[in-house]
Amino acid sequence: MDFLNALVALSNFVLIPAIAYGSQLALGALGVTLIYGILRFSNFAHGDTMAFGAMVTILVTWALQAAGISFGPLPTALLALPFGIIGAAALLLLTDKFVYQFYRRQKAAPVILVIVSMGVMFIMNGLVRFIIGPDDQRFADGARFLISARDFREMTGLAEGLAIRSSQVITVVTAVIVVAILFWFLNRTRTGKSMRAFSDNEDLALLSGINPDRVVMYTWLIVAALATVAGTLYGLDKSFKPFTYFQLLLPIFASAIVGGLGSPVGAIVGGFVIAFSEVTITYAWKKVLGYLMPESLEPDGLVQLLSTDYKFAVSFVILIIVLLFRPTGLFKGKAV
Amino acid sequence: MSETMRNTALFALVSGLIVLTAVMQSWNSALTILNMGLISAIMALGVNLQWGFAGLFNVGVMGFVALGGLATVLISMPPVEGAFAAGGVRILTALVLGAATIIAAVLVQSRLKGKAKALATIAILIAGFFIFRAVLDPGVAAVEAINPALQGNLGGLGLPVIIAWPVGGLLAAGVAWVIGKTALGLRSDYLAIATLGIAEIIIAVLKNEDWLARGVKNVVGLPRPVPREIDLQNDPGFVEQAAGFGVDPVTASTLFVKTQYGLLFALVLVILLLGAQLALKSPWGRMMRAIRDNEVAAEAMGKDVKARHLQIFILGSAICGIAGAMMTTLDGQLTPGSYQPLRFTFLIWVMVIVGGSGNNFGAVLGGFLIWFLWVQVEPVGLFLIETLTAGLAEDSALRLHLLDSAAHMRLLTMGLILLLVLRFSPRGLIPER
């Protein structure tokens, strides 16, 4: 019984939150890694792109809610998601046309593009704060729990409850669907193949008649979709606050680099590696250990390795370890 | 127009802007802008050293600035009575043990091979972490229990606050050495991410380690290198002098204090600028730029690229640390919650790029100009929006929302300025020679 209780407590506080968070990071890291692979720079504006897409989604969600439209037990935000994607795509294509295109034609050094993306970050950040304000916004509706802790306890008779929030399930399901579509697109369609070819060897791709502008346009469209989905899911699961999206930049980059920049599979694996390490290291293990250990050995303290405020430190340390021992990441990314 | 003329004109323009503020708003706000402008110029000088001289992409300026602030507290605050006896020794021992663990792990890395290496490293790190926590935690609890409403930290050494400035630089230099050792020599993007991360971690430590500098409870009432306004107002001699100028004592005292700060800061800026200028013109500076322009060629000429990068990375970060200590001294308090990367890292980058990377005077000019804009964009934006929406009803939702959001105009403006300069004048206002 104690073992089952420990297992339930572990799932409730570590496994399920980490899987949901990992999915969000993976989606974000996929966007970063695609831009790196095809446009060849680290996009510092990605966190704010996520915030922008999520913001458009929230605005449309509010409009839908005001019009009395709902999605049954599911959050209305899912209905608004396509609008968010369109908004983010429009913004990204405009930025590309007015900002990035110039430097691409010039064949500017990657670090110049990173600085340019810093400027874009400022503007997007300002736009989001200008439109929706810097405060926390709530937009989640629909059923809150798939299983609440009390129902679970009554159902199983265990002392520990297992709460599965609907936002967590939606996050994982949506992430799986999005990733499946993305991989199908990259591996099976003509455009997807040309994108991979472009990423592998630009000159060769150009020689075989691939239109670079088309590849770039599709990249931005996909990145807009990924960023909006990631941003909205994160907002549903936690809450929407522009500044937290900027802070997500670090774990997202850590995920992409740990997996290997430029490698989509790596981005997903990296997302889960970072999420699981963050959650396990900042979780107070007292409860789980209390069930597992004999009474005499039960820990007195919280058995928390690091306080939750240091979660950035965790992704950072993993990043450093990978950089030192395997600079190309777990899945051989590219190194320029 | 010759180059010197042009540059003088640019500096005159910025001084003109500040004088204009004095005339239109008040001398008080002009001096406030000037003082922070001086500090910003020093930060920009530090970043310019790294980016302009050596092409190193450091986006962790905020962390080094915050370390300077920490130095101010550790040096100038009086020690908290009994704190050191209660837990100080334990905490220091723990820190030494922590450092020893890492050194041991690094040594194992270089001495052992294969599986033994990996196993020994992991064992040392895990054992070291638990010993560290076991020694540290009781000490922290003991220190934080001392008068928590007002203190609850170790306090400082009670030395004059000016000493904190170079110490802030040393502290930043130490951290820069650790980062440089690990992340330099990797790709430029990796250094960027690593510095971004370390800055966040430094802020997290400042916010959470209450025994160090009271965390988010803030340290207020730091000692000052200049007299307090209230003492001046109570000094009959000063009041008499102020009356002689026809200024009331309250205004006179604030102006006097701010001018003194300004003179101190200007002195530091001049010394650092002189140093940076001499360095740039020396063989060392030419070597740095040669490395920046072509690492392979420089390495083939026998230059130790990695060591030189580490050197300049430490120097630049130390300058940011000095500026951070000066800023905390000016504020008179350390508020870890107020460190925002957009304000303390990316804004400094805008200063360097706009001013002219690779040129020390450019960085200084950028520091003053961008700081001026950062402060003034908000009122100007508010004014613009008020004028533009004057036709709308007084309580129209759109008008109210726009007025509320005017504060965020500065981010938009800074981004726009950065992009425009990068596009149309990528070498900045005062280009590198």
Side-chain angles (χ1 to χ4, degrees):
Chain A
M1 219 45 171
D2 274 356
F3 178 73
L4 277 183
N5 272 325
L7 200 66
V8 169
L10 184 71
S11 323
N12 194 22
F13 294 108
V14 177
L15 297 181
I16 295 173
I19 291 174
Y21 182 44
S23 314
Q24 293 148 8
L25 283 186
L27 288 177
L30 272 173
V32 165
T33 231
L34 274 181
I35 295 186
Y36 189 85
I38 291 166
L39 300 163
R40 301 194 158 78
F41 70 96
S42 308
N43 183 13
F44 270 56
H46 197 75
D48 290 298
T49 313
M50 282 167 59
F52 186 86
M55 179 195 71
V56 177
T57 311
I58 290 172
L59 293 178
V60 176
T61 308
W62 285 342
L64 288 175
Q65 282 168 348
I69 302 171
S70 80
F71 202 9
L74 295 174
T76 320
L78 288 183
L79 279 183
L81 207 50
F83 297 96
I85 295 177
I86 294 173
L91 180 75
L92 285 180
L93 288 179
L94 280 177
T95 346
D96 185 67
K97 182 150 178 43
F98 287 107
V99 184
Y100 294 123
Q101 198 181 50
F102 171 79
Y103 299 96
R104 209 164 43 242
R105 299 257 156 91
Q106 270 201 333
K107 298 224 177 290
V111 69
I112 299 294
L113 276 163
V114 177
I115 297 180
V116 170
S117 78
M118 237 161 64
V120 173
M121 174 187 81
F122 260 109
I123 293 191
M124 285 187 179
N125 200 305
L127 264 182
V128 171
R129 290 182 192 209
F130 198 80
I131 297 176
I132 205 166
D135 306 319
D136 249 326
Q137 308 288 350
R138 283 191 43 77
F139 63 105
D141 54 3
R144 247 177 80 65
F145 288 103
L146 201 66
I147 307 173
S148 76
R150 183 204 258 166
D151 289 349
F152 184 86
R153 272 199 292 267
E154 278 168 7
M155 232 156 51
T156 58
L158 289 173
E160 278 301 314
L162 178 71
I164 303 183
R165 277 186 294 148
S166 37
S167 66
Q168 291 168 328
V169 180
I170 292 169
T171 299
V172 176
V173 172
T174 320
V176 169
I177 296 174
V178 168
V179 169
I181 297 177
L182 178 72
F183 278 79
W184 169 80
F185 179 83
L186 286 179
N187 293 321
R188 293 272 182 272
T189 63
R190 228 180 132 70
T191 321
K193 283 179 189 167
S194 63
M195 279 172 63
R196 284 192 303 141
F198 193 84
S199 158
D200 282 343
N201 189 332
E202 191 178 344
D203 296 329
L204 216 56
L206 293 178
L207 273 178
S208 33
I210 289 172
N211 178 358
D213 292 334
R214 215 175 112 87
V215 168
V216 169
M217 188 187 79
Y218 273 100
T219 310
W220 284 122
L221 290 179
I222 295 172
V223 168
L226 288 170
T228 309
V229 173
T232 309
L233 292 178
Y234 188 84
L236 275 178
D237 196 21
K238 281 139 187 149
S239 77
F240 176 85
K241 191 176 182 194
F243 186 62
T244 44
Y245 282 79
F246 172 79
Q247 286 189 316
L248 272 181
L249 206 57
L250 185 66
I252 284 178
F253 264 103
S255 311
I257 293 178
V258 166
L261 269 175
S263 150
V265 183
I268 296 170
V269 175
F272 284 103
V273 168
I274 297 287
F276 270 90
S277 342
E278 264 189 24
V279 177
T280 41
I281 292 182
T282 54
Y283 173 62
W285 287 89
K286 182 179 170 61
K287 205 173 213 173
V288 174
L289 291 179
Y291 282 119
L292 288 181
M293 308 261 240
E295 225 155 278
S296 54
L297 281 177
E298 257 180 53
D300 311 321
L302 287 171
V303 206
Q304 189 180 19
L305 294 179
L306 279 177
S307 104
T308 34
D309 303 287
Y310 288 126
K311 59 178 190 213
F312 293 116
V314 177
S315 38
F316 181 75
V317 169
I318 296 172
L319 176 70
I320 292 290
I321 293 174
V322 168
L323 283 185
L324 285 180
F325 296 105
R326 211 184 158 93
T328 48
L330 298 175
F331 288 77
K332 290 279 168 201
K334 40 167 93 231
V336 177
Chain B
M1 198 161 44
S2 80
E3 215 179 272
T4 337
M5 283 275 291
R6 204 181 103 95
N7 297 350
T8 321
L10 279 169
F11 273 101
L13 178 81
V14 175
S15 333
L17 284 175
I18 293 176
V19 173
L20 195 69
T21 313
V23 176
M24 302 223 351
Q25 293 171 340
S26 70
W27 277 102
N28 193 15
S29 41
L31 281 177
T32 312
I33 294 179
L34 182 72
N35 282 349
M36 262 320 279
L38 283 163
I39 293 175
S40 305
I42 295 176
M43 291 180 193
L45 211 54
V47 173
N48 183 43
L49 209 58
Q50 293 172 341
W51 169 246
F53 282 29
L56 297 178
F57 194 57
N58 170 12
V59 279
V61 183
M62 171 179 77
F64 300 114
V65 168
L67 279 177
L70 175 64
T72 319
V73 172
L74 294 184
I75 292 296
S76 70
M77 282 307 268
V80 172
E81 227 161 280
F84 199 78
V89 182
R90 264 196 109 91
I91 290 177
L92 288 185
T93 322
L95 293 181
V96 171
L97 281 175
T101 309
I102 292 174
I103 293 171
V106 173
L107 280 181
V108 162
Q109 285 293 316
S110 55
R111 297 286 157 81
L112 294 178
K113 279 210 171 67
K115 265 199 180 143
K117 178 168 99 171
L119 283 177
T121 317
I122 293 171
I124 289 176
L125 286 179
I126 291 178
F129 179 78
F130 281 102
I131 296 173
F132 170 72
R133 285 291 296 263
V135 178
L136 180 76
D137 288 358
V140 168
V143 169
E144 286 177 3
I146 299 174
N147 193 5
L150 286 175
Q151 291 160 328
N153 65 334
L154 275 180
L157 299 174
L159 296 171
V161 71
I162 298 275
I163 297 178
W165 299 1
V167 172
L170 282 179
L171 209 57
V175 173
W177 181 77
V178 176
I179 308 171
K181 267 286 182 199
T182 37
L184 283 173
L186 293 166
R187 293 215 330 269
S188 56
D189 314 41
Y190 288 175
L191 179 65
I193 306 289
T195 44
L196 189 74
I198 204 82
E200 290 290 344
I201 291 173
I202 291 172
I203 300 300
V205 169
L206 282 188
K207 278 185 184 167
N208 292 298
E209 299 306 316
D210 287 9
W211 58 269
L212 193 61
R214 301 198 73 225
V216 283
K217 290 181 287 185
N218 302 339
V219 177
V220 293
L222 289 169
R224 304 165 29 143
V226 297
R228 287 181 188 279
E229 285 90 343
I230 192 78
D231 297 335
L232 288 175
Q233 286 159 28
N234 292 334
D235 174 9
F238 181 81
V239 175
E240 201 171 299
Q241 267 190 334
F245 284 109
V247 195
D248 70 286
V250 177
T251 322
S253 62
T254 46
L255 290 184
F256 181 73
V257 167
K258 283 190 171 155
T259 318
Q260 282 201 321
Y261 269 124
L263 288 175
L264 272 176
F265 294 163
L267 184 70
V268 177
L269 177 63
V270 167
I271 294 173
L272 289 174
L273 183 60
L274 204 66
Q277 230 11 49
L278 287 176
L280 182 69
K281 296 236 166 88
S282 69
W284 183 82
R286 282 194 292 276
M287 171 177 65
M288 279 303 173
R289 283 182 291 165
I291 292 176
R292 178 196 65 187
D293 292 339
N294 193 338
E295 271 182 38
V296 180
E299 206 152 15
M301 298 298 290
K303 308 296 178 206
D304 188 347
V305 172
K306 217 177 156 184
R308 293 289 83 73
H309 273 170
L310 184 62
Q311 201 177 25
I312 204 156
F313 186 70
I314 291 175
L315 279 176
S317 305
I319 293 183
C320 292
I322 295 174
M326 289 162 60
M327 192 186 72
T328 306
T329 312
L330 177 67
D331 291 344
Q333 55 182 357
L334 180 70
T335 49
S338 65
Y339 287 96
Q340 301 272 332
L342 282 173
R343 154 75 183 85
F344 284 101
T345 297
F346 295 103
L347 192 67
I348 310 299
W349 269 91
V350 178
M351 292 170 182
V352 174
I353 304 275
V354 169
S357 43
N359 189 317
N360 293 320
F361 290 103
V364 171
L365 178 81
F368 283 114
L369 180 64
I370 295 297
W371 179 253
F372 176 83
L373 290 176
W374 179 256
V375 175
Q376 295 293 14
V377 156
E378 204 176 316
V380 171
L382 200 62
F383 172 77
L384 267 182
I385 287 176
E386 261 175 0
T387 327
L388 284 177
T389 57
L392 293 170
E394 197 59 32
D395 55 346
S396 115
L398 181 67
R399 180 182 153 95
L400 290 179
H401 176 80
L402 283 177
L403 285 178
D404 257 359
S405 315
H408 309 302
M409 286 279 280
R410 37 163 69 158
L411 289 174
L412 270 176
T413 324
M414 288 307 136
L416 209 58
I417 292 175
L418 179 64
L419 288 182
L420 288 175
V421 168
L422 273 174
R423 172 75 179 262
F424 296 106
S425 164
R427 282 153 59 75
L429 288 173
I430 307 184
E432 183 185 352
R433 259 178 293 171

